Amino acid sequence: MRFNDREEAAKQLTEKIKVDEPKNTIVLAMPRGGVPLGLTIANEFNIPLDVILAKKIGHPMNSEFAIGAMAEGGEPLMNDDIHVSATWLEKRVKQITDEIDRRRAIYSEVIEKQSLTDKHVILVDDGIATGHTMFAAIESVRSKKPLSISVAVPIITEDTFKALEKVVDNIYYVQIPEAFLGSVSAYYENFPQLDDYKVQQLLGNQSI
């Protein structure tokens, strides 16, 4: 099963989501690809939308190989079986923190940061493979003392689903493929890359 685009995926995902307390629920979209889906969900249930910024930490010898991740307001979440120089890691964490702060400043021009304390939080992305950034986002959200944490994604690998089940209250999804195709983009006919200013435009319009 492939989605035509993020908008189609968002519509199918919205049908799976249950919101019991809309006045006490917040959608947290993960930029960049999660924002179109987060907008659809927030509009459907008439609930506030914010974003949470997270970024994987790539290995110093191969940046595409994730050894951890971190999200704004949270500590780095590292793979226990990977060891790197403490000096290198400190420098990389500082670089990522600066990038997250820069991007938050761009989004803050059009969207107000929401308090997550005593709220039901729905974390939204356009798909999850390994889940490094999602797990980092969950830990960051948990530190804000929400009432509950749910994850909503159109596509998720089976292993990551099983791991997420242990740390969140609900997982809303459209499909868990038996054999993952290697990337989230493989499940979309149209999967355009979104830059920060396109995301800012989407958030400013509050519609897609």
Side-chain angles (χ1 to χ4, degrees), residues 58-149:
H59 193 281
M61 302 300 292
N62 179 5
S63 61
E64 293 302 312
F65 176 62
I67 59 174
M70 63 180 296
E72 57 182 328
E75 296 295 321
L77 195 63
M78 307 298 295
N79 293 355
D80 293 335
D81 56 345
I82 301 293
H83 302 284
V84 294
S85 160
T87 301
W88 176 87
L89 182 59
E90 182 180 2
K91 180 180 179 181
R92 185 64 185 130
V93 166
K94 174 65 165 56
Q95 291 172 337
I96 292 174
T97 300
D98 289 346
E99 180 181 348
I100 285 174
D101 289 346
R102 176 191 64 80
R103 294 176 64 195
R104 170 57 75 172
I106 292 172
Y107 301 154
S108 291
E109 294 178 13
V110 295
I111 193 169
E112 182 178 351
K113 192 171 179 64
Q114 299 285 326
S115 171
L116 306 181
T117 303
D118 295 330
K119 300 292 185 180
H120 297 289
V121 177
I122 304 175
L123 281 160
V124 181
D125 206 352
D126 54 13
I128 302 178
T130 62
H132 286 96
T133 53
M134 181 60 77
F135 282 105
I138 289 166
E139 291 306 305
S140 176
V141 170
R142 195 183 311 283
S143 70
K144 309 301 190 299
K145 302 189 182 332
L147 289 175
S148 69
I149 302 175

Side-chain angles (χ1 to χ4, degrees), residues 1-18 36-38 40-41 44-45 124-126 152-155 171-176 187-189 208:
M1 176 181 179
R2 299 181 74 186
F3 305 106
N4 181 53
D5 52 24
R6 291 185 180 95
E7 286 68 39
E8 179 188 338
K11 291 174 183 176
Q12 292 190 35
L13 181 58
T14 300
E15 295 175 357
K16 308 290 185 179
I17 295 172
K18 184 177 181 181
L37 290 91
T40 296
I41 294 166
E44 174 67 23
F45 295 104
V124 181
D125 206 352
D126 54 13
V153 289
I155 183 79
I171 306 175
Y172 304 111
Y173 65 94
V174 177
Q175 59 173 316
I176 302 176
Y187 291 88
Y188 289 83
E189 295 287 347
I208 57 173

